[in-house]
Amino acid sequence: MTTPSRAASPASPAAPDPSAPWLVVGLGNPGGEYAANRHNVGWMVADLLASRIGGKFKSHKARAQVLEGRVGPPGPFNRRVVLAKPLSYMNLSGGPVTALRDFYKVPVANIVAIHDELDIDYGVLRLKLGGGDNGHNGLKSMTKSLGPDYHRVRFGIGRPPGRMQVADFVLKDFSGAEKKELDYFVDRAADAVEALVIEGLERAQSTYNS
């Protein structure tokens, strides 16, 4: 894990209310048959973040698995975080996320969606606030429920080869060549989420939007 610098204050506030919790959502599909799919990379990153926090996901009435914890050093950069993996299918992610937002009283600006992104090369990250869904069904559902003004950590998976359909591509496991670097890229994505929550979007973008 790359530890972001804490020496200076963030260039801009990471959230309207620094004491408000963050809701970090790994998007994916439930079920063992989907666990290693490209579409489930958000779950992979959430699982790694959970291991860093040192806890286990538990079932929540919002149809999600959740883990509450904190990230960052003691003091003003310490943040309360709720990690979540919706247990609905990808295209219904907005329901569980909205229920968790209401339950934990999370401002929309403190919600982070971790998801696969077709229009970015494999392993490349892009962090942003707001924007469209680019055809991603998980984002489409979240935006319908929440509006567009939440953070996104976009994990590049590249475009399908040849004439393969997008739906087939995202619901397949990473290739053998991709798997050789997958752990590294998932680790870097988890670092990016922590940097976003602790230091704010601009600083995290300057480090991880490669």
Side-chain angles (χ1 to χ4, degrees):
M1 170 188 168
T2 301
T3 303
S5 172
R6 318 291 204 261
S9 296
S12 60
D17 177 5
S19 66
W22 283 77
L23 176 58
V24 176
V25 182
L27 292 179
N29 286 308
E33 67 270 35
Y34 301 108
N37 288 178
R38 294 181 176 93
H39 222 20
N40 271 48
V41 73
W43 273 39
M44 298 175 197
V45 177
D47 284 337
L48 179 56
L49 288 166
S51 71
R52 291 181 180 184
I53 289 173
K56 293 183 178 181
F57 283 100
K58 297 181 180 180
S59 296
H60 191 279
K61 63 182 180 181
R63 290 181 300 139
Q65 292 183 332
V66 301
L67 170 63
E68 298 179 57
R70 304 193 77 90
V71 298
F77 291 103
N78 191 260
R79 300 284 185 258
R80 181 186 171 205
V81 170
V82 179
L83 293 178
K85 299 190 296 185
L87 294 176
S88 61
Y89 285 100
M90 182 72 84
N91 63 334
L92 299 174
S93 300
V97 176
T98 301
L100 291 171
R101 176 204 63 181
D102 295 344
F103 183 86
Y104 289 103
K105 298 180 172 57
V106 180
V108 172
N110 284 35
I111 297 175
V112 182
I114 313 166
H115 64 92
D116 57 304
E117 179 58 62
L118 287 161
D119 287 338
I120 302 175
D121 290 341
Y122 173 61
V124 174
L125 299 176
R126 291 287 186 271
L127 283 64
K128 63 182 290 190
L129 174 63
D133 57 59
N134 201 26
H136 192 287
N137 287 332
L139 297 182
K140 189 177 297 183
S141 179
M142 284 184 59
T143 297
K144 183 177 180 181
S145 298
L146 303 167
D149 297 326
Y150 52 91
H151 289 85
R152 299 104 188 275
V153 173
R154 305 159 72 202
F155 187 110
I157 61 170
R159 301 294 303 185
R163 297 184 177 181
M164 182 183 291
Q165 295 296 311
V166 166
D168 294 332
F169 180 69
V170 300
L171 293 177
K172 287 186 180 297
D173 293 358
F174 288 97
S175 69
E178 289 170 335
K179 287 176 182 177
K180 292 178 181 179
E181 296 183 291
L182 183 58
D183 287 347
Y184 168 77
F185 289 138
V186 168
D187 188 73
R188 191 166 186 269
D191 289 348
V193 173
E194 291 181 344
L196 169 60
V197 170
I198 295 166
E199 299 190 347
L201 179 62
E202 290 182 13
R203 284 180 178 267
Q205 284 177 323
S206 69
T207 302
Y208 295 99
N209 278 21
S210 55

